[in-house]
Amino acid sequence: MQGDEACAEGAIAAGCNYYAGYPITPASEIMEHICRRFADLEGRVFIQMEDEIGSMASVIGAAWAGAKAMTATSGPGLSLMLENIGYALITETPCVVVDVQRAGPSTGQATRPAQGDVMQARWGAHGDYEIIVLAPWSVSEMYTETIRAFNLAERFRVPVILLSDEAVGHLRENFAVPPLTRVYHREKEVGSPPFGSSEVPPMPAFGEGARLLVTGSTHDEWGYRRTSDAHAQASLVERLVSKVRNHLDEVTAVERYLCNGELDVLLVSFGFTARSALGAAREAREAGRRVGLLRLRTLWPFPEDEVRQTAAGARYVLVAEMNRGQVLREVQRVAPNAVGYHKTDGEVITSDEILVAMGNLG
Amino acid sequence: MVVPLGSTASILKYIRPKSFPTPFCPGCGHGILMGAILRAIDELGLDMDSMLFVSGIGCGGWIPSPHFNADTLHVTHGRPVAFATGAVLFNPKLNVVVIGGDGDIASIGGNHLIHAARRNLDMTVICANNSIYGMTGGQVTPTTPLGAMTATTPKGNPEPPFDLSRLVAAAGASYVARYSVWHIRPLIKALQKALLHKGFAFVEVLSSCPTQFGRRNDLPTPARMLRHFKETCVPISRAKDMSPEELAGKTLIGEFVG
Ligand code: SF4
């Protein structure tokens, strides 16, 4: 199965019952697969919207009507969606946005892989907020991490971005559908304030008699606009940030490979590039060099504690990514000696290239 | 015969008590439109628990949010029709009503408007058309009349406006009507038809903005603006017998698609 198709299957397993999208390479297969599968399933709604802005808007409208809603796109489409992703952030709307990255900027190389949307995913909307971004590296994870994205979205009432790339999206691999362990559903409660009685307030749907007042303006716990109220703005932003930050243990996921003992080189990577990094680490180990890999499955909030601890025992830290150093800078905040290996020519980074880069470390 | 309007008390129950005073300027047509929408709902006996009002940014967006005591979704500029699309497709039992100004619905939101009309989605879109961006200071919109003065057309608007009702009718809407806030009875009737209509219903409402439009265009008082609607609006039925010269500068009102 292809990565994009596995993502669609994961969404269905997670209970996704609303999908709105707009065609874009290399993410279109997600929409096409969902469309085909929804046609034979009860209670699932699919629409191809007029553009990405409308797709994201209708996803949020559906989520407030009670849906588990998703859209998928690539970098240029994510750019268009970001204003409404900001709306989802301030209104605490659970939803999933898949970005199958391609090489940019602008139309760039529509059919080539890249990892250049790391910062766009984190900071693309304006204002202050916390967002969750996951980075799958395999077809099997396109399935499982899509489910995790839905569960985190429902748990924290946030939009969650699944940040994939062309190489993973179009990858074909065998995978066994894992048994579902848990699917999370948002808490509902008619009659309690939907915006602030607790860290993650309950969220009733439209049509259930809650008489919801939902607005993208600064609001109080019942949704009334409070745009001149310094306290309302400060406490809203504080909660939007801390409701995620206070639960990093539920959000953060990293994997360590060959990281036992003292390390000569710690490789840090994510997405497709981490596969090449693992290959490079294995080859280096065989050649007698102590090399380990730290793979970031959660990119945002950035797993800085995990990076700091793992990097502490390593002589060198090398960050491999298909961009000009977006994750490198984050790593350098906690491991100042980190250096990067970057590639932005639309080709994937190979194990051999990482081995050469390690050889140049000193 | 003049049919009396329901008393103001009869519509107060549809308004969230905490939302007064309204943010509208004195003499704003949006207050009249707000009353017309609630009277239409009251006379039809619609259940507010099954209604969803979606609005975008601008003075028109304030008509339902925060005033209406129902589910309200106050979204990003220009996108209320697209947000409403998701809500009504996922839960077709919702009676979805989009309310917004001409800048919101027809300019930045124009693409969503024509596509929702083309799809004949089951929603009612009410465009409070005052031919101006009121909240941001009186700039030109796609419905500002040719030659009209705005903050961004110091020599008069050089661009011809959209005829919104005809545009939406051409796009495929299955109910389209236009009235002004002067024509309150036929407006309420049209709103009722739209609210009960299955499919995409569009009601364009010419609304007065003395603050940003009127004062720049020789219509400085609320009364003067309302009289302007009275003098320049011609029912479609009557227009059939009028010459092009007689129709110059006039706006057709009535049901375009019914
Ligand atoms: S600016 Fe115009 S449209 Fe806005 S509230 Fe004032 S009169 Fe009404």
Side-chain angles (χ1 to χ4, degrees):
Chain A
M1 187 178 266
Q2 194 193 55
D4 280 352
E5 293 165 353
C7 171
E9 287 296 329
I12 290 165
C16 173
N17 46 17
Y18 186 86
Y19 185 99
Y22 186 78
I24 188 168
T25 304
S28 295
E29 291 90 342
I30 297 174
M31 176 164 78
E32 290 167 12
H33 193 80
I34 288 237
C35 175
R36 277 195 300 271
R37 291 278 278 114
F38 271 20
D40 298 325
L41 295 169
E42 276 291 302
R44 316 239 185 178
V45 180
F46 169 86
I47 184 169
Q48 181 177 321
M49 288 293 285
E50 54 271 13
D51 57 29
E52 286 90 345
I53 298 174
S55 302
M56 192 63 219
S58 83
V59 156
I60 298 168
W64 275 100
K68 283 193 173 186
M70 178 171 106
T71 186
T73 188
S74 190
L78 185 67
S79 298
L80 290 176
M81 289 177 181
L82 277 160
E83 186 196 12
N84 283 334
I85 291 175
Y87 182 89
L89 285 155
I90 198 171
T91 55
E92 303 179 67
T93 309
C95 55
V96 173
V97 179
V98 183
D99 175 8
V100 187
Q101 296 167 95
R102 64 193 220 184
S106 189
T107 310
Q109 294 175 297
T111 59
R112 309 300 312 177
Q115 296 174 314
D117 302 350
V118 174
M119 287 297 169
Q120 178 176 232
R122 174 63 185 91
W123 297 109
H126 57 278
D128 292 284
Y129 54 83
E130 193 64 64
I131 197 166
I132 298 174
V133 178
L134 314 179
W137 74 337
S138 64
V139 172
S140 140
E141 269 197 4
M142 285 294 272
Y143 182 89
T144 54
E145 293 292 281
T146 301
I147 297 174
R148 189 160 82 98
F150 271 100
N151 286 347
L152 289 170
E154 295 284 319
R155 162 75 178 87
F156 293 106
R157 279 184 65 181
V158 283
V160 174
I161 297 180
L162 187 77
L163 195 64
S164 183
D165 57 70
E166 190 275 341
V168 175
H170 284 167
L171 189 67
R172 286 189 179 275
E173 286 180 310
N174 289 331
F175 88 100
V177 174
L180 260 194
T181 46
R182 182 166 181 228
V183 169
Y184 198 97
H185 300 286
R186 74 195 64 160
E187 308 219 340
K188 285 190 179 195
E189 198 179 310
V190 175
S192 76
F195 300 103
S197 54
S198 56
E199 208 174 37
V200 183
M203 180 183 167
F206 293 146
E208 293 178 348
R211 307 264 171 119
L212 290 160
L213 184 54
V214 186
T215 176
S217 298
T218 295
H219 47 268
D220 66 15
E221 72 270 28
W222 289 102
Y224 281 94
R225 254 198 322 270
R226 292 280 176 265
T227 52
S228 316
D229 182 336
H231 173 72
Q233 168 73 4
S235 63
L236 176 61
V237 170
E238 168 63 23
R239 195 169 54 73
L240 294 180
V241 171
S242 63
K243 72 173 178 177
V244 175
R245 295 229 134 220
N246 289 347
H247 299 278
L248 291 181
D249 52 327
E250 292 176 63
V251 180
T252 307
V254 298
E255 281 175 2
R256 295 180 183 82
Y257 295 89
L258 312 171
C259 281
N260 41 319
E262 291 263 300
L263 286 180
D264 186 22
V265 181
L266 173 69
L267 296 172
V268 179
S269 196
F270 62 97
F272 190 88
T273 310
R275 298 168 75 110
S276 305
L278 180 57
R282 285 192 176 129
E283 279 193 48
R285 282 271 173 182
E286 272 166 30
R289 214 172 162 188
R290 293 191 310 274
V291 175
L293 165 69
L294 177 67
R295 176 170 85 93
L296 311 179
R297 253 172 68 201
T298 305
L299 278 181
W300 303 106
F302 193 74
E304 51 186 53
D305 287 347
E306 288 77 0
V307 174
R308 183 185 293 109
Q309 286 155 15
T310 321
R315 188 153 156 240
Y316 298 106
V317 178
L318 179 68
V319 182
E321 51 185 332
M322 287 185 272
N323 61 51
R324 301 309 298 178
Q326 297 187 22
V327 163
L328 171 64
R329 281 196 203 172
E330 289 304 307
V331 173
Q332 282 172 335
R333 287 176 200 271
V334 290
N337 62 331
V339 295
Y341 179 70
H342 320 298
K343 211 169 144 182
T344 46
D345 59 0
E347 303 286 340
V348 296
I349 293 175
T350 63
S351 298
D352 286 349
E353 288 167 340
I354 296 173
L355 282 169
V356 171
M358 276 194 286
N360 293 338
L361 283 175
Chain B
M1 193 188 85
V2 178
V3 187
L5 297 172
S7 71
T8 302
S10 73
I11 58 169
L12 275 180
K13 61 175 180 284
Y14 300 109
I15 298 179
R16 296 179 198 269
K18 270 174 75 185
S19 63
F20 282 122
T22 83
F24 302 127
C25 307
C28 177
H30 291 3
I32 305 175
L33 173 56
M34 182 171 143
I37 297 168
L38 293 179
R39 284 186 170 92
I41 288 169
D42 188 48
E43 288 177 11
L44 292 176
L46 296 178
D47 173 14
M48 283 298 244
D49 274 339
S50 67
M51 301 201 68
L52 167 65
F53 296 92
V54 189
S55 64
I57 302 300
C59 304
W62 283 346
I63 294 172
S65 176
H67 298 107
F68 289 7
N69 195 0
D71 288 326
T72 54
L73 184 65
H74 189 201
V75 304
T76 47
H77 187 40
R79 316 300 170 195
V81 171
F83 278 76
T85 299
V88 78
L89 286 179
F90 186 71
N91 182 0
K93 285 202 218 92
L94 291 170
N95 192 347
V96 177
V97 184
V98 173
I99 305 172
D102 46 308
D104 191 52
I105 302 261
S107 183
I108 180 167
N111 199 29
H112 309 304
L113 177 67
I114 56 174
H115 286 281
R118 171 176 68 81
R119 296 183 178 117
N120 200 24
L121 293 170
D122 187 17
M123 62 173 77
T124 299
V125 176
I126 301 167
C127 181
N129 180 1
N130 54 17
S131 304
I132 200 89
Y133 286 95
M135 197 187 280
T136 48
Q139 298 84 3
V140 69
T141 79
T143 57
T144 303
L146 202 62
M149 303 302 288
T150 73
T152 47
T153 57
K155 295 184 177 169
N157 178 22
E159 298 175 354
F162 271 142
D163 183 330
L164 270 193
S165 289
R166 283 199 164 129
L167 174 74
V168 177
S174 49
Y175 181 81
V176 179
R178 171 163 62 208
Y179 290 99
S180 83
V181 290
W182 169 267
H183 303 89
I184 198 74
R185 254 295 142 198
L187 170 61
I188 292 175
K189 278 255 147 356
L191 290 169
Q192 288 176 341
K193 273 195 166 175
L195 288 167
L196 295 179
H197 180 78
K198 268 260 154 232
F200 193 84
F202 182 73
V203 183
E204 180 183 357
V205 185
L206 308 176
S207 182
S208 44
C209 173
T211 307
Q212 298 293 6
F213 187 86
R215 75 181 160 91
R216 289 187 172 88
N217 291 285
D218 242 1
L219 304 162
T221 65
R224 190 66 200 86
M225 283 218 78
L226 288 177
R227 218 173 323 122
H228 173 72
F229 292 139
K230 181 184 175 221
E231 287 158 2
T232 57
C233 290
V234 177
I236 297 174
S237 52
R238 196 170 346 126
K240 284 206 291 277
D241 305 321
M242 290 167 70
S243 67
E245 294 76 44
E246 287 173 306
L247 283 172
K250 300 282 193 276
T251 306
L252 298 193
I253 56 168
E255 282 185 355
F256 289 75
V257 182

